[in-house]
Amino acid sequence: MRFKKISFLASKAEMAQDARAALVQRYGHVSPVQADLIVALGGDGFMLSTLHETQGLRAPVYGMNRGTVGFLMNEYSEDGLEDRLALAEETVIHPLRMTAHGVDGEEREGLAINEVSLLRKGPQAAKLRILVDGKERLSELVCDGALLATPAGSTAYNYSAHGPILPIGAEILALTAVAAFRPRRWRGALLPMRAKVRIEVLESDKRPVQAVADSFDARAVEWVEIQSAPDISHRLLFDPEHGLEERLIREQFV
């Protein structure tokens, strides 16, 4: 597919801004609303923010790494961009929808492409109760936190917390504990993509917990409900042989 109208977006990093200036001069630029394609220049954090900000637009997003890790990005090059875009392969992912109920009674909603995490905000470990589709699965998890990750986000915070890497096409979510103290050997769980997960904070006044959906946060929560949002789709483009599926497999053999 040939993309005639391209919008170039860049993080605030000098390297990303310089790349944007060079690409705009060479290939032109339109606003994201007018674009057939959006090119995101930065790291994974900038890619996530770009996907969130443009989720209502029809244009897919092609990232080029001008950050650090760049797991969601393609390699950067100014040359042959139009040919690369014509050959790029599309991956469609769906975010998680989080509803967080605060101790103040307020409810807040957020979307997470990578994961929803609950993290302790005080000196004492958090105490969490976990329910899946309305059924209690863990009456008390004592930990620094817990997270629910999508396949696309399974190599991020989830993997650092010793959670599993999930194939991009898997209809599975990873529920992973962060520094679990009790049950000490609990290694988390794999759940169907359609599962509705509720995590309740026990002793929330004494053991405050913050909920985070990507960069959206809700402080001092009493409970959080999380489930996939199939009504929202993000379209990402990757160079052939360097798509998310290949990267997820490759990551497990590093």
Side-chain angles (χ1 to χ4, degrees):
M1 181 177 180
R2 290 286 175 178
F3 299 96
K4 297 180 179 179
K5 295 182 289 184
I6 303 175
S7 181
F8 291 96
L9 305 179
S11 71
K12 295 180 180 179
E14 183 178 354
M15 183 168 59
Q17 290 293 324
D18 289 346
R20 181 183 183 277
L23 290 166
V24 167
Q25 183 176 17
R26 189 164 180 177
Y27 298 101
H29 168 76
V30 299
S31 71
V33 176
Q34 299 172 310
D36 298 321
L37 174 93
I38 295 168
V39 173
L41 301 160
D44 288 335
F46 183 71
M47 171 60 91
L48 290 177
S49 66
T50 299
L51 291 173
H52 283 297
E53 291 171 7
T54 63
Q55 71 179 31
L57 304 180
R58 61 186 177 86
V61 180
Y62 178 88
M64 285 202 285
N65 190 18
R66 294 283 83 187
T68 49
V69 178
F71 185 80
L72 296 173
M73 317 299 276
N74 298 284
E75 291 184 3
Y76 175 77
S77 175
E78 293 177 24
D79 300 326
L81 179 59
E82 292 172 330
D83 290 336
R84 290 176 70 184
L85 294 176
L87 296 172
E89 300 171 350
E90 182 175 294
T91 295
V92 179
I93 60 175
H94 305 285
L96 298 172
R97 178 176 283 113
M98 173 188 81
T99 301
H101 182 88
V103 296
D104 58 1
E106 183 180 353
E107 285 193 6
R108 304 182 68 193
E109 285 195 356
L111 295 172
I113 295 167
N114 272 1
E115 78 279 318
V116 172
S117 56
L118 280 78
L119 304 169
R120 74 174 194 179
K121 294 301 292 180
Q124 298 191 67
K127 284 188 177 181
L128 307 175
R129 177 175 179 248
I130 298 176
L131 300 92
V132 179
D133 294 329
K135 184 174 183 177
E136 181 182 272
R137 294 296 182 178
L138 204 54
S139 61
E140 184 179 276
L141 172 64
V142 182
C143 57
D144 281 352
L147 60 92
L148 188 67
T150 66
S154 64
T155 61
Y157 190 13
N158 172 71
Y159 192 42
S160 297
H162 306 292
I165 293 178
L166 305 176
I168 192 62
E171 292 291 307
I172 294 173
L173 301 173
L175 178 60
T176 302
V178 179
F181 178 73
R182 190 170 61 243
R184 192 178 294 274
R185 292 182 174 83
W186 191 64
R187 297 184 178 276
L190 297 177
L191 303 175
M193 184 70 74
R194 65 182 182 277
K196 184 175 183 178
V197 179
R198 180 182 173 99
I199 303 178
E200 298 176 352
V201 180
L202 307 178
E203 303 177 21
S204 58
D205 55 337
K206 180 181 175 182
R207 305 169 185 268
V209 169
Q210 176 183 17
V212 182
D214 286 348
S215 60
F216 173 85
D217 70 286
R219 300 183 179 182
V221 298
E222 282 190 337
W223 54 260
V224 168
E225 290 184 344
I226 315 159
Q227 57 187 141
S228 180
D231 55 311
I232 299 175
S233 299
H234 297 287
R235 299 166 59 205
L236 288 78
L237 296 181
F238 293 96
D239 293 331
E241 305 298 326
H242 295 282
L244 270 185
E245 183 172 349
E246 168 62 22
R247 292 175 187 219
L248 289 167
I249 294 173
R250 190 172 59 206
E251 188 75 14
Q252 298 175 79
F253 293 90
V254 174

